[in-house]
């Protein structure tokens, strides 16, 4: 009976097992199929901590509005028409565990990375912040064009070096140019191709230069268009909407803490969350616990902890601006809403790398007063830190903040001097006169109109004096001087560069007003601005009374004098060293890995922009490759691959419109004459 039962039930069991296996197989394979069919972008693991830790605006009301009692607002990115990749950054996408080639092949890649389609797991939001703009409190600002997508967990095999200043192990990603948010004010929340190309390239260029920065993973353009008046001259034109994927541990900035500011004495504006002091403390706790855990762990007393946090932000900011100064970078809009709480370069707008060295260099054509000039950057960053300190009061008592602010300039000077010693190859000794040697170098560069980047790059070719050789050896000094003279400006260049930027009649009126009506004068201008214009006039007068031969003689004299001093200092580097050749080789190696061969000059960016606007994205991609390795030459990538204005490359020729054709030079050369035409606002 038992055997009969077994015999009878075996087919039933078998049939049931087959059905069960088919069912499991079907469910399992479907599930497995859905997993394997997902793209790498869809497999990113999100953990959107900040939206859980900080207040989120409950309203989803469309349109611009004041957002009170919240740090973020939910938004809906607006899709673009026919989005497509212009370029992607492989090293930046690797932060998210993404392979650039796979992203480029993903048919939904441009949609996901422009905000046109929501990535699974992302939670689009816009950050609320305020800011002091050009010295005046502007009230609520916020992400008017940027959109937080979420925080992506770093891959398990992420390099520890990349996580040194990102201890949370997550990367916040945003799309910039994805449409309207509650903070768009009178704007449309869109970015265009030219500004997006500049931000994309500069983010990655700064990283490769070793300067702390937010990153750019991709650049997408589209067939959607918006109207822009590029030069604010009443001649608007339609431009392509474009989006940059930005990556950072966080985009919280100084201005994030200014949403709690009481009514400003000058403007009368106040932060939208004034009175919500508990949220300020909540945000401060979140920032320190998440991004400064070593400070959180080291202090049980809140005031001590907050003071240590402010000191570290001050130190990082001093380090950052010192690095800017040492690569000739000018941010252009150092408002408090453009200052990262992590000491990163953030929000690339009208930035510029200097060509001819000029301490008064202004990269933003809208900055009429020169508030954000190259030489002003260190002091402005301290001013911004003081505004942050005010925003943190009473969590950070004013007297504790002031004591930390007193440390800012020593921090800055130490970072600057250390960087400059490396740039000059002064590696083995630190001598008091090094500061004067550096000051003399900068003054000589200014007097002779020397190219900033190329002059420093040339210095590694000046040898240390060999044993028994005089530092003043005329032949060596002459070779070095001739090398540096190649980087100096011609007479006409200097005349153009030193023309006053103010109309002579306006300057004359202000000078008269300063004497007759000081109160009105201070409403219209300031003494520093007028003094700068008078200095330019005096310098121009001297140049107009000089000929080319006299200028060359003066430039030769200036550089001969400095090279002689430099060689004397290099001789002391070699004192007591048995192998002078090894010293020289080490020095050249350090200098050539500190002084870049190429930076993102405005004309290089402009050439790439015009190629992209003509539908050729190869120049953006080519420039990106060059900028990823700024300290070395790359065979086949020495000069632009795209030529505009009729393709003419010979100097002096004219295109079909009669305008002078562009001259295209290698990326590591001094800029061509047409670069002076570029205006960035």
């Amino acid at each position: 009976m038992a055997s009969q039962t077994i015999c009878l039930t075996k087919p039933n069991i078998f049939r049931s097992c087959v059905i069960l296996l088919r069912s499991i197989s079907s469910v399992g394979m479907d599930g497995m199929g859905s997993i394997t069919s997902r793209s790498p972008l869809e497999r990113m693991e999100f953990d959107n901590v900040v939206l859980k830790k900080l207040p989120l605006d409950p309203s989803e009301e469309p349109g611009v509005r004041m957002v009170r009692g919240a740090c973020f607002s939910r938004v809906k990115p607006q899709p673009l028409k026919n989005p497509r990749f212009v370029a992607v950054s492989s090293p930046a996408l690797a932060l998210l565990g993404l392979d650039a080639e796979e992203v480029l092949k993903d048919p939904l890649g441009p949609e996901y990375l422009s905000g046109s389609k929501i990535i699974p797991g992302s939670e689009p939001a816009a950050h609320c912040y305020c800011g002091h703009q050009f010295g005046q409190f502007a009230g609520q600002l916020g992400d008017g064009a940027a959109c937080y997508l979420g925080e992506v967990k770093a891959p398990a095999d992420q390099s520890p070096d990349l996580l040194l200043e990102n201890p949370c192990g997550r990367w916040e990603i945003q799309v910039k140019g994805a449409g309207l948010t509650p903070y768009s004010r009178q704007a449309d929340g869109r970015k265009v191709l030219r500004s997006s190309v500049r931000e994309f390239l500069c983010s990655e260029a700064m990283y490769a230069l070793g300067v702390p920065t937010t990153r750019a993973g991709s650049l997408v353009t589209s067939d959607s268009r918006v109207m822009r008046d590029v030069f604010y001259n009443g001649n608007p034109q339609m431009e392509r909407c474009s989006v940059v994927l930005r990556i950072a541990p966080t985009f919280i900035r100084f201005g994030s803490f200014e949403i709690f500011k009481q009514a400003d004495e000058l403007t009368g504006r106040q932060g939208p969350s004034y009175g919500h002091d508990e949220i300020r403390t909540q945000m401060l706790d979140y920032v320190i616990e998440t991004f400064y855990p070593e400070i959180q762990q080291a202090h049980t007393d809140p005031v001590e902890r907050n003071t240590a946090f402010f000191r570290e932000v001050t130190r990082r900011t001093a380090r950052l601006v010192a690095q800017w100064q040492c690569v000739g970078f000018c941010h252009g809009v150092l408002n408090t809403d453009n200052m990262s709480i992590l000491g990163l370069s953030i929000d690339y707008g009208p930035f510029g790398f200097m060509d001819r060295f000029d301490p008064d260099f202004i990269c933003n054509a809208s900055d009429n007063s020169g508030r954000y000039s190259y030489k002003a950057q260190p002091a402005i960053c301290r001013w911004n830190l003081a505004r942050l300190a005010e925003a943190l009061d009473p969590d950070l008592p004013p007297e504790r903040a002031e004591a930390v602010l007193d440390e800012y300039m020593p921090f800055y000077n130490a970072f600057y001097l250390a960087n400059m010693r490396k740039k000059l190859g002064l590696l083995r000794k630190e001598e008091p006169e090094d500061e004067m040697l550096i000051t003399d170098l900068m003054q000589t560069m200014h007097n002779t109109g020397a190219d900033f980047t190329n002059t420093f790059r040339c210095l590694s070719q000046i040898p240390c004096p060999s044993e028994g050789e005089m530092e003043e050896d005329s032949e060596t000094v002459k070779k070095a001087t001739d090398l540096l003279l190649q980087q100096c400006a011609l007479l006409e260049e200097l005349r153009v560069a030193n023309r006053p930027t103010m109309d002579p009649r306006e300057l004359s009126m202000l000078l008269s007003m300063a004497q007759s009506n000081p109160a009105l004068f201070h409403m219209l201008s300031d003494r520093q601005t007028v003094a700068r214009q008078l200095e330019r006039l005096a310098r121009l007068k001297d140049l107009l009374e000089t000929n080319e031969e006299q200028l060359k003689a003066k430039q030769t004299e200036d550089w001969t004098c400095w090279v002689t001093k430099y060689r004397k200092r290099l001789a002391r580097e070699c004192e007591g060293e048995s192998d002078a050749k090894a010293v020289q080789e080490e020095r050249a190696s350090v200098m050539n890995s500190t002084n870049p061969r190429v930076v993102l000059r405005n004309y290089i960016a402009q050439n790439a922009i015009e190629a992209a606007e003509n539908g050729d994205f190869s120049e953006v991609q080519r420039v990106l490759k060059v900028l990823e390795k700024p300290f070395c030459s790359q065979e086949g990538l020495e000069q632009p691959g795209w030529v505009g204005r009729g393709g003419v490359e010979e100097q002096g020729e004219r295109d079909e419109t009669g305008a002078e054709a562009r001259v295209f030079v290698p990326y590591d050369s001094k800029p061509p004459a047409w670069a002076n035409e570029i205006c960035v606002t």
Side-chain angles (χ1 to χ4, degrees):
M1 188 73 173
S3 62
Q4 185 181 8
T5 302
I6 293 170
C7 184
L8 287 171
T9 57
K10 270 183 179 178
N12 295 331
I13 293 171
F14 178 76
R15 195 160 41 248
S16 299
C17 289
V18 168
I19 292 170
L20 181 60
L21 284 169
R22 282 177 179 170
S23 175
I24 293 172
S25 176
S26 174
V27 172
M29 290 304 290
D30 286 349
M32 187 64 72
S34 66
I35 292 171
T36 56
S37 65
R38 289 193 299 165
S39 72
L41 288 167
E42 293 167 335
R43 293 199 298 270
M44 286 194 300
E45 190 175 355
F46 282 88
D47 185 9
N48 306 325
V49 174
V50 73
L51 298 186
K52 304 166 193 169
K53 293 280 190 177
L54 298 180
L56 183 61
D57 176 21
S59 172
E60 293 192 18
E61 175 190 345
V64 175
R65 64 183 186 276
M66 192 67 68
V67 175
R68 307 181 192 280
C71 300
F72 286 88
S73 303
R74 293 198 184 278
V75 296
K76 294 179 181 178
Q78 297 166 284
L80 294 172
K81 183 179 178 182
N82 189 25
R84 53 197 177 277
F85 284 122
V86 174
V88 301
S89 167
S90 181
L93 290 178
L95 297 174
L96 311 177
L98 297 171
D99 178 84
E101 289 302 318
E102 291 182 347
V103 170
L104 286 170
K105 291 175 183 175
D106 184 351
L108 294 178
E111 292 186 69
Y112 280 139
L113 296 184
S114 65
S116 300
K117 189 175 181 67
I118 305 302
I119 305 173
S122 68
E123 299 181 73
H127 180 39
C128 182
Y129 51 82
C130 292
H132 281 79
Q133 299 192 317
F134 285 86
Q136 308 296 322
F137 185 65
Q140 177 178 290
L141 298 171
D143 285 335
C147 172
Y148 164 101
L149 292 183
E151 295 155 73
V152 177
K153 288 185 177 181
D157 60 350
Q158 187 119 103
S159 165
D161 291 341
L162 291 172
L163 296 175
L164 281 176
E165 294 186 7
N166 182 19
C168 71
R170 299 184 305 278
W171 295 99
E172 179 180 325
I173 60 173
Q174 4 172 283
V175 281
K176 185 174 180 179
L180 289 167
T181 77
Y183 313 107
S184 297
R185 293 176 283 175
Q186 291 80 36
D188 52 30
R190 292 299 192 190
K191 293 297 176 183
V192 296
L193 189 55
R194 59 187 159 81
S195 61
S196 299
V197 167
R198 286 172 57 82
E199 170 140 9
F200 174 77
L201 290 175
C202 198
S203 300
E204 294 307 280
M206 292 289 270
Y207 172 74
L209 289 169
V211 180
T213 180
T214 58
R215 304 293 300 277
S218 63
L219 169 56
V220 173
T221 194
S222 71
D223 290 339
S224 301
R225 293 178 181 266
V226 287
M227 186 77 76
R228 291 289 187 267
D229 188 349
V230 183
F231 301 112
Y232 305 103
N233 59 5
N235 296 309
Q237 60 188 42
M238 299 299 291
E239 298 191 61
R240 291 186 184 278
C241 295
S242 304
V243 173
V244 174
L245 177 76
R246 307 204 299 181
I247 305 168
T250 182
F251 286 86
I252 291 176
R253 61 228 26 230
F254 291 11
S256 302
F257 289 95
E258 292 188 291
I259 65 173
F260 314 104
K261 179 176 167 56
Q262 63 185 8
D264 185 73
E265 292 181 2
L266 193 61
T267 66
R269 302 187 185 101
Q270 69 178 31
S273 292
Y274 171 65
H276 291 269
D277 291 351
E278 75 286 354
I279 300 178
R280 182 194 58 239
T281 303
Q282 187 179 348
M283 188 190 299
L284 184 58
D285 289 344
Y286 166 74
V287 168
I288 297 175
E289 291 168 4
T290 307
F291 305 107
Y292 296 92
E294 70 288 351
I295 291 176
Q296 177 71 20
Q297 294 160 12
H299 300 279
T300 55
D301 179 75
V303 170
E304 293 299 327
R305 182 201 70 161
N306 297 344
T307 302
F309 159 72
F310 185 62
R311 177 175 288 108
E312 180 60 16
V313 174
T314 297
R315 189 191 70 83
R316 291 191 187 192
T317 302
R319 178 189 64 178
L320 176 67
V321 70
Q323 289 176 282
W324 287 350
Q325 302 301 94
C326 288
V327 294
F329 175 79
C330 199
H331 184 283
V333 194
L334 280 177
N335 299 327
T336 56
D337 54 292
N338 292 336
M339 298 288 294
S340 162
I341 205 71
L342 300 183
L344 306 174
S345 307
I346 189 173
D347 287 350
Y348 293 98
F351 67 83
F353 284 88
M354 276 194 296
D355 294 320
R356 175 185 48 81
F357 176 66
D358 179 2
D360 291 319
F361 173 64
I362 299 170
C363 63
N364 179 1
S366 303
D367 183 7
N368 297 320
S369 69
R371 177 180 176 84
Y372 298 139
S373 68
Y374 169 82
K375 74 177 182 184
Q377 290 186 136
I380 285 295
C381 285
R382 187 195 182 281
W383 191 90
N384 289 338
L385 282 162
R387 304 292 77 73
L388 173 62
E390 291 173 357
L392 295 176
D393 181 28
D395 290 302
L396 177 66
E399 65 276 7
R400 301 298 296 272
E402 195 60 40
V404 172
L405 286 170
D406 288 342
E407 300 174 29
Y408 171 80
M409 283 311 296
F411 278 146
Y412 169 78
N413 288 331
F415 285 125
Y416 179 80
L417 190 55
N419 281 342
M420 277 294 179
R421 280 193 172 110
K422 287 177 67 178
K423 289 174 76 68
L424 269 67
L426 308 178
L427 312 177
R428 294 170 180 257
K429 293 181 173 69
E430 294 183 4
E431 301 195 356
E433 58 265 38
D434 290 350
E435 291 188 52
M436 185 53 67
L437 182 69
I438 294 164
T439 300
D440 288 346
L441 170 62
M442 308 309 281
Q443 187 62 58
T444 303
M445 289 171 64
H446 185 212
N447 291 345
T448 62
D451 186 89
F452 183 91
T453 300
N454 291 358
T455 296
F456 276 105
R457 186 72 178 184
C458 286
L459 296 184
S460 65
Q461 298 179 50
I462 301 175
C464 295
S466 57
E467 189 175 352
E469 181 187 358
M470 296 294 292
E471 298 91 346
E472 301 90 347
D473 178 70
S474 58
E475 188 58 34
T476 305
V477 170
K478 183 179 184 305
K479 284 182 180 178
T481 299
D482 288 345
L483 180 68
L484 295 166
L485 286 172
Q486 294 174 30
Q487 301 305 327
C488 295
L490 299 174
L491 181 58
E492 189 54 36
E493 292 178 64
L494 290 174
R495 285 173 176 171
V496 170
N498 283 281
R499 287 174 186 161
T501 55
M502 189 181 291
D503 186 285
R505 291 167 296 182
E506 181 184 358
L507 181 57
S508 177
M509 179 194 71
L510 287 173
L511 287 170
S512 174
M513 192 180 297
Q515 299 293 323
S516 61
N517 193 338
L520 182 57
F521 169 78
H522 286 297
M523 289 177 62
L524 298 175
S525 187
D526 59 80
R527 295 190 181 279
Q528 187 177 9
T529 299
V530 171
R532 189 163 54 245
Q533 295 297 318
L534 292 174
E535 286 173 11
R536 295 173 76 95
L537 265 177
R539 188 164 167 78
L540 178 60
K541 179 178 180 293
D542 289 342
L543 289 166
L544 289 171
E545 295 172 355
T546 301
N547 60 40
E548 199 73 62
E549 292 74 20
Q550 291 170 327
L551 176 67
K552 184 68 177 292
K554 183 66 172 68
Q555 290 174 334
T556 302
E557 180 185 348
D558 287 351
W559 276 116
T560 300
C561 180
W562 186 83
V563 168
T564 302
K565 293 179 187 175
Y566 183 44
R567 294 252 300 159
K568 286 181 179 179
R569 176 61 180 85
L570 291 179
R572 293 197 293 278
E573 281 287 294
C574 299
E575 286 176 358
E577 299 290 341
S578 58
D579 191 345
K581 183 180 179 183
V583 172
Q584 175 64 23
E585 288 176 353
E586 178 196 8
R587 172 177 163 269
S589 175
V590 170
M591 293 176 74
N592 288 336
S593 62
T594 305
N595 296 316
R597 183 186 69 88
V598 60
V599 294
L600 184 60
R601 299 175 188 262
N602 272 338
Y603 84 90
I604 294 175
Q606 186 63 26
N607 189 41
I609 289 166
E610 293 187 10
E613 288 176 335
N614 279 278
D616 183 348
F617 303 149
S618 64
E619 185 62 19
V620 175
Q621 297 159 11
R622 185 184 186 89
V623 170
L624 177 63
K625 285 183 181 178
V626 172
L627 295 173
E628 285 176 343
K629 297 179 179 178
F631 300 103
C632 59
S633 178
Q634 299 178 65
E635 189 174 351
L637 294 174
E638 292 86 1
Q639 58 188 22
W642 187 89
V643 180
R645 294 199 183 182
V648 182
E649 296 188 52
E650 294 301 319
Q651 190 165 8
E653 291 190 30
R654 296 182 175 271
D655 63 18
E656 61 276 8
T657 67
E660 186 173 339
R662 288 195 175 171
V663 180
F664 283 84
V665 298
Y667 295 120
D668 62 351
S669 294
K670 287 171 57 181
W674 63 264
N676 293 324
E677 303 167 11
I678 300 169
C679 177
V680 183
T681 61

